[in-house]
Amino acid sequence: MEKIGYIDNVIGIPDITYYKDADILKRMNLDNVEQITLGINAKNEIIINISPDFVITNSFEYQNNSGLTAAGLTILPVVEYLEQTALGRAEWVKFFGLLLGEYEKATEVFDDIEQNYKNLIAEYSPQIDEDATICDFMEYQGYWYAAGGKSYIANLYKDAGFNYIYKDDGNSGIISVDQET
């Protein structure tokens, strides 16, 4: 929304903990932006009271949004996090551009992002040794996890020129990994 000039139109955000945008934080401090969730629990009364033109959600938030739709609010699921590439995620700016009547501007923004990304790959990827292999694990409650070979993270590693240890895995999400691997 910022890239196409509509950051001032944001009137509610989920948990402030995850926001680093200075404009949003300033507007939050001035009471121009409401925090509308606490964790994954939506504060429907706040959402209804601020009367947004639409409510942007992902598949985790507002699983039960019948109260919002009954109040006449339009719910728009946005699932850019399911995209498997950086450019796939960036392309969602076009969705917002279309939504806000700024598709041409959003397309220009995306085209700039795409060109910059490709330039970075062309410049830095060849600098990585072709044998450079990367392992990326996370331990959680006694189990080890890694990004699947078709995931966003795996594709970032590939674009950067790294040989990702699970590149041949066909999963686009997280995979469980044997600790002995």
Side-chain angles (χ1 to χ4, degrees):
M1 303 266 284
E2 176 185 8
K3 295 283 187 190
I4 55 176
Y6 278 81
I7 198 69
D8 289 340
N9 294 66
V10 175
I11 60 173
I13 60 170
D15 194 339
I16 190 69
T17 307
Y18 302 105
Y19 280 81
K20 305 298 180 220
D21 184 275
D23 289 332
I24 291 287
L25 295 173
K26 179 181 174 185
R27 292 183 66 235
M28 183 100 182
N29 288 333
L30 295 172
D31 291 329
N32 295 333
V33 175
E34 293 282 344
Q35 180 170 300
I36 57 175
T37 63
L38 184 59
I40 61 170
N41 298 314
K43 299 178 183 175
N44 285 356
E45 62 280 355
I46 292 175
I47 297 170
I48 292 167
N49 285 337
I50 62 176
S51 190
D53 293 328
F54 47 84
V55 178
I56 297 170
T57 69
N58 61 42
S59 64
F60 300 110
E61 296 172 334
Y62 317 119
Q63 300 245 349
N64 182 8
N65 56 35
S66 59
L68 299 177
T69 53
L73 297 177
T74 301
I75 309 298
L76 298 173
V78 174
V79 291
E80 84 290 342
Y81 63 90
L82 294 177
E83 299 287 349
Q84 296 174 4
T85 66
L87 290 177
R89 289 184 178 196
E91 195 168 25
W92 275 81
V93 71
K94 292 181 184 181
F95 168 81
F96 289 105
L98 185 63
L99 184 67
L100 299 167
E102 296 285 351
Y103 185 76
E104 288 182 26
K105 187 174 185 179
T107 298
E108 289 174 15
V109 167
F110 173 74
D111 290 346
D112 287 345
I113 291 169
E114 181 180 37
Q115 190 58 54
N116 288 337
Y117 189 77
K118 288 179 177 180
N119 288 344
L120 286 170
I121 291 170
E123 182 177 351
Y124 292 104
S125 182
Q127 296 178 28
I128 304 297
D129 184 291
E130 66 183 42
D131 294 327
T133 299
I134 192 164
C135 302
D136 184 2
F137 301 101
M138 178 183 82
E139 187 270 335
Y140 181 71
Q141 295 184 347
Y143 295 93
W144 288 86
Y145 299 94
K150 303 297 181 216
S151 68
Y152 171 74
I153 296 296
N155 281 311
L156 284 177
Y157 293 149
K158 180 183 79 173
D159 288 349
F162 290 102
N163 177 32
Y164 180 50
I165 194 167
Y166 292 109
K167 69 181 178 196
D168 295 328
D169 176 80
N171 292 292
S172 61
I174 300 296
I175 58 173
S176 180
V177 178
D178 183 358
Q179 292 182 21
E180 304 297 321
T181 302

